[in-house]
Amino acid sequence: MSFSSDDIARLARLARIRLDAVETNDVREKLDAIFSLIDALQAIDTAGVAPMAHAQDVMLPLRDDIVTREDCRARFQAQAPEVADGLYIVPRVVE
Amino acid sequence: MRFEIVIGLETHAQLSTSSKIFSSASTAFGAPPNTQASAVDIALPGVLPVLNRGAVERAIRFGLAVGGTINRRSVFARKNYFYPDLPKGYQISQYETPVVSGGSVTIVTDTGEKSVRLVRAHLEEDAGKSVHEGLPPELGDVSGIDLNRAGMPLLEIVTEPDMRSAAEAIAYAKTLHALVTWIGICDGDMQEGNFRCDANVSVRRPGEPLGTRCEIKNLNSFRFLAQAIEYEARRQIELIEDGGRVEQETRLYDPDRDETRSMRSKEDAQDYRYFPDPDLPTLVIDDAWIARVRDAMPELPDALRARLVQAYGLTPYDAEQLTLSRALVDYYEAVTQALEARDAAAYKLAANWVLGEFSAARNRADVAIEHAKVSPRALAGLLRRIADHTISGKIAKDVFDTMWSGEGSGDDAADAIIERRGLRQISDTSAIEALVNDVLAKNAAMVEEYRAGKDKAVNALVGQVMKASKGKANPTQVNEILRRVLASGK
C-alpha cells in the first residue's frame, strides 16, 4: 500500500497535527514502510484463527462497584489555564 | 407509489452503578461541576482505567433478558475523535467484539406483535458536557466543560433496521425502557439523559434495497422520537420525489422548530480509527458468572405478559400496557387479589381502571405508584360496587376522584363515600317507573317524535331520566322501562 499526499493530509487533520511539505513526505515514507509490514501480515492465511486483540493473553482485572474517589476539583483546576464556576473554560465549541 | 420508512435505533442506557465504568468516582446526578471527575475521568497522563464489575454484570443481565449471546471474550476499543468534553481524545467503547451479540425485543402495536432484532449491546463510557450559556460574559466567546459525566457507564443497544413506522419505533423504545428499568440496570430517567435514542432513518419503495440513511441524534423523549422520525421521513421522500438524493449524514432534531438539520458536514465524515485499547486486556466472562446472574433475574416482562393473558384473560395490548412498569403490574395484581369475583369480566374491569382512571390520576398528581392515594384494596372495594350494580361506572369515577382527593381512606373508602353522599344506584323498578312517567309527561314533543318513527328520541329521553335521577338510576333498567312504557302506548 502506498499513501498519497492527500491521504497524509487527511490523517493529519483527523489527528489535529500540522505537517509541512517536507514532514508530509517523511511521514508518508514511514507509513509506507509500516504498511509494507502489514501487507506481509495480511498475506498470511489466518482462516480459523481467533483474532488477537492484545499481545498478552491476560484477563482484564475488574473493580468492585464502590465509590472511593473524593472530590479533587480544586487540586485539578489549580493546573488548568482557565476555570469559571467550577467549569474548565475552552474556546467556544458549537455543533 | 408509496414509500416505506425503515428505522433502526441506537439507545444509550446509562447503567445504574454507583461508580463510573473505569474509575471509582461517583455517578450521582446533579453534583456541582467537576466534583465527580477523577484523574482517570479527566485523563491525566499516566492513569489507567479499571473496569467496573457492576457495569459488566448489568450488561450480562441485559443480554440474558433479550436472549442474546453473552460473548465469553470481548474487547474494548478506542474510538478516536477530538472534542473538548473528551479529554483523552478517544472514547473507550467496544467495536468488533461487544459484550452482547444478537437477541431481540418483542413489541406490540395496533397491528399486532413484532420482534425487533438486536445487532449488539456494548459497554462504553460517556463523554463530559459542554456548557455554552450562563458563563460570565467577560470571558467572551467560550464554552465551559463539566467532566462529571465523563466516564459514566453506558450500554449502547443497537437494533437491526426492523421498524417501519414512528409508532413501531416508539413501541420499541418504550418496551426497551420498560425492560432496562425492570431488570434494574438503568433508572430510565429521560430528563436526566439516562435513556436516549439515536434513530437511523431511511426511505425506500417497498421491495427495493435499503435507502441511504440519516442518523438523528440524542432524542430524549418518546414524543420527540416520533416527531423527528416523521419529519425526517417526509424530508427524504420530498427530496427523492424532487429528483434529489439523500446524503448519509448526522442530523439533529430541533423540537422548537419540529425539524431536523445537518450536524456535521460531509468533509468531516467521521473516521474514528478504532483499535483495541492497549490499556484494557480482553474482558473474560465465564459460565459460572453468567449462571449466577441468570439465577438472580426477576420474571421478565415477556413471560409476565404471557402470564397476564393466560391467568386473567387480558388482551395482549392491556398486558403490554400493564408491564410497562413493574410497579404497575404489582398494583394490578394486588387489586385482583383483593377482588371477590375471580372471573375474566372482573379482571378486565380491574385492568381498565388501573390503566384508565388510576393511571390518569397518578400522572396528574405526578406521584409514584407506591405513593398513590388509592390503595389496591380500596380500588378493589370500588370495583366491587360497580360489579354488583350499587353504582354506575360514571358515578364510580366521581367516587374514585373523591377517594383520590383524600376523603375517606381505608379499604372500604368507596362504601363510606357511596353511603355518605347517597350515591347508591336506583334499581328499584317502581322508582324508575315514576321517574320515567314524570319525564314522559314533561316531554310530550319528544314522545311525539318517537311515535312518528324517530327511534333516536329514546336516547334523549333516557338522558332526561338519568338527569332527573342525578345519574343514579341504573341505565340499563331505564332503557328497558322507558321502551316498555312507550310501547304500551300510554
Side-chain angles (χ1 to χ4, degrees):
Chain A
M1 161 141 198
S2 70
F3 285 88
S4 69
S5 298
D6 285 350
D7 292 332
I8 304 299
R10 177 156 175 278
L11 288 171
R13 190 165 51 77
L14 285 168
R16 302 291 191 274
I17 54 175
R18 194 176 292 135
L19 299 175
D20 63 27
V22 176
E23 288 166 329
T24 300
N25 209 35
D26 186 39
V27 167
R28 188 178 57 206
E29 278 170 16
K30 284 177 178 157
L31 279 177
D32 280 344
I34 291 167
F35 272 72
S36 70
L37 287 177
I38 291 173
D39 286 341
L41 290 173
Q42 299 274 36
I44 299 165
D45 179 11
T46 56
V49 180
M52 185 182 75
H54 295 274
Q56 279 180 301
D57 194 19
V58 292
M59 257 172 68
L60 178 61
L62 298 174
R63 174 178 60 76
D64 287 333
D65 180 23
I66 298 167
V67 177
T68 56
R69 275 305 137 204
E70 296 305 317
D71 172 16
C72 300
R73 185 174 80 180
R75 265 201 296 159
F76 293 158
Q77 293 201 334
Q79 309 175 58
E82 193 169 18
V83 293
D85 301 338
L87 298 164
Y88 295 94
I89 298 301
V90 299
R92 187 171 178 83
V93 282
V94 184
E95 285 284 1
Chain B
M1 199 175 169
R2 282 183 59 81
F3 280 85
E4 177 177 64
I5 310 175
V6 178
I7 305 155
L9 290 181
E10 292 171 15
T11 306
H12 288 92
Q14 187 182 307
L15 299 172
S16 56
T17 54
S18 311
S19 63
K20 292 188 178 178
I21 184 165
F22 296 117
S23 86
S24 50
S26 170
T27 56
F29 181 79
N34 293 306
T35 55
Q36 291 177 174
S38 72
V40 169
D41 305 320
I42 71 169
L44 288 187
V47 298
L48 284 172
V50 186
L51 182 58
N52 184 338
R53 188 189 310 278
V56 181
E57 195 267 340
R58 283 165 178 77
I60 297 173
R61 224 185 290 169
F62 179 78
L64 292 173
V66 296
T69 303
I70 314 296
N71 291 315
R72 300 305 193 267
R73 299 171 71 84
S74 69
V75 176
F76 285 94
R78 292 185 179 181
K79 178 181 180 176
N80 299 280
Y81 66 95
F82 287 99
Y83 209 73
D85 62 20
L86 188 77
K88 286 197 299 299
Y90 59 87
Q91 177 194 26
I92 305 177
S93 181
Q94 295 191 297
Y95 189 53
E96 280 169 339
T97 43
V99 63
V100 176
S101 300
S104 65
V105 171
T106 303
I107 60 169
V108 182
T109 61
D110 297 344
T111 50
E113 259 190 22
K114 174 170 182 169
S115 174
V116 174
R117 293 168 301 154
L118 300 181
V119 179
R120 59 192 275 153
H122 67 251
L123 286 164
E124 64 181 28
E125 60 178 346
D126 207 344
K129 213 167 72 182
S130 304
V131 179
H132 309 294
E133 272 143 41
L135 296 166
E138 65 273 17
L139 293 176
D141 215 12
V142 297
S143 296
I145 303 296
D146 176 6
L147 296 172
N148 281 351
R149 204 179 63 186
M152 288 289 198
L154 302 177
L155 189 66
E156 178 172 335
I157 303 155
V158 183
T159 75
E160 296 282 359
D162 278 354
M163 288 153 279
R164 294 289 176 273
S165 65
E168 285 188 0
I170 299 290
Y172 166 80
K174 285 189 172 170
T175 306
L176 183 68
H177 183 265
L179 180 67
V180 296
T181 51
W182 190 284
I183 60 177
I185 66 167
C186 169
D187 74 13
D189 192 319
M190 295 178 83
Q191 256 138 30
E192 290 179 6
N194 294 350
F195 185 90
R196 35 190 215 264
C197 296
D198 302 339
N200 284 303
V201 179
S202 65
V203 299
R204 66 171 171 191
R205 295 196 162 89
E208 285 185 352
L210 292 175
T212 306
R213 66 171 194 267
C214 289
E215 182 180 14
I216 314 166
K217 281 285 196 194
N218 266 339
L219 301 162
N220 63 354
S221 85
F222 296 127
R223 191 160 57 91
F224 291 163
L225 176 62
Q227 288 172 356
I229 289 170
E230 272 158 13
Y231 173 87
E232 179 59 20
R234 235 177 7 250
R235 185 187 74 86
Q236 292 183 15
I237 290 168
E238 279 168 19
L239 201 61
I240 293 169
E241 283 180 337
D242 291 348
R245 236 182 43 193
V246 177
E247 298 283 349
Q248 183 166 342
E249 62 179 352
T250 303
R251 299 178 70 85
L252 192 71
Y253 178 68
D254 180 345
D256 294 330
R257 296 185 184 179
D258 187 23
E259 64 177 28
T260 65
R261 56 173 184 268
S262 188
M263 243 173 95
R264 298 192 178 110
S265 66
K266 211 171 130 204
E267 67 184 290
D268 272 336
Q270 294 303 298
D271 181 343
Y272 294 123
R273 295 153 297 146
Y274 284 96
F275 63 89
D277 191 331
D279 289 345
L280 294 157
T282 305
L283 168 61
V284 178
I285 297 171
D286 62 20
D287 293 344
W289 192 2
I290 296 173
R292 279 199 306 278
V293 175
R294 181 177 282 125
D295 289 345
M297 288 275 274
E299 185 182 17
L300 293 172
D302 273 353
L304 185 52
R305 264 198 297 279
R307 185 164 69 76
L308 290 175
V309 170
Q310 235 238 317
Y312 300 105
L314 297 181
T315 62
Y317 185 78
D318 283 350
E320 164 81 13
Q321 294 300 305
L322 285 170
T323 51
L324 287 180
S325 102
R326 178 82 235 186
L328 194 63
V329 178
D330 289 345
Y331 185 94
Y332 173 73
E333 292 213 279
V335 173
T336 60
Q337 291 302 313
L339 286 173
E340 279 161 8
R342 297 284 164 91
D343 54 47
Y347 295 145
K348 172 66 182 159
L349 184 69
N352 289 349
W353 273 78
V354 170
L355 293 172
E357 294 302 308
F358 173 77
S359 290
R362 197 182 68 74
N363 285 338
R364 272 197 304 276
D366 195 21
V367 293
I369 289 171
E370 298 79 3
H371 303 128
K373 301 275 180 44
V374 175
S375 72
R377 298 186 66 86
L379 180 58
L382 176 65
L383 299 183
R384 202 174 302 141
R385 294 299 162 248
I386 302 173
D388 69 11
H389 304 296
T390 303
I391 53 173
S392 67
K394 193 164 175 295
I395 296 280
K397 289 180 183 181
D398 297 338
V399 176
F400 179 84
D401 288 342
T402 310
M403 288 161 72
W404 189 276
S405 68
E407 191 181 317
S409 56
D411 298 349
D412 56 357
D415 283 344
I417 292 165
I418 291 166
E419 286 313 316
R420 188 162 62 246
R421 300 204 170 179
L423 297 173
R424 193 172 275 279
Q425 181 161 264
I426 302 170
S427 304
D428 175 354
T429 310
S430 57
I432 294 177
E433 273 173 359
L435 285 167
V436 166
N437 287 330
D438 194 38
V439 165
L440 291 185
K442 284 181 186 153
N443 293 279
M446 275 191 222
V447 175
E448 280 311 310
E449 278 179 35
Y450 173 78
R451 297 250 152 84
K454 203 173 158 197
D455 198 52
K456 277 190 184 148
V458 171
N459 295 338
L461 289 166
V462 170
Q464 292 292 324
V465 177
M466 291 306 293
K467 198 174 156 197
S469 75
K470 299 193 178 66
K472 290 191 297 188
N474 179 328
T476 316
Q477 279 179 296
V478 170
N479 217 306
E480 279 169 16
I481 292 169
L482 192 63
R483 284 180 186 277
R484 176 156 52 73
V485 174
L486 283 169
S488 73
K490 214 172 130 186

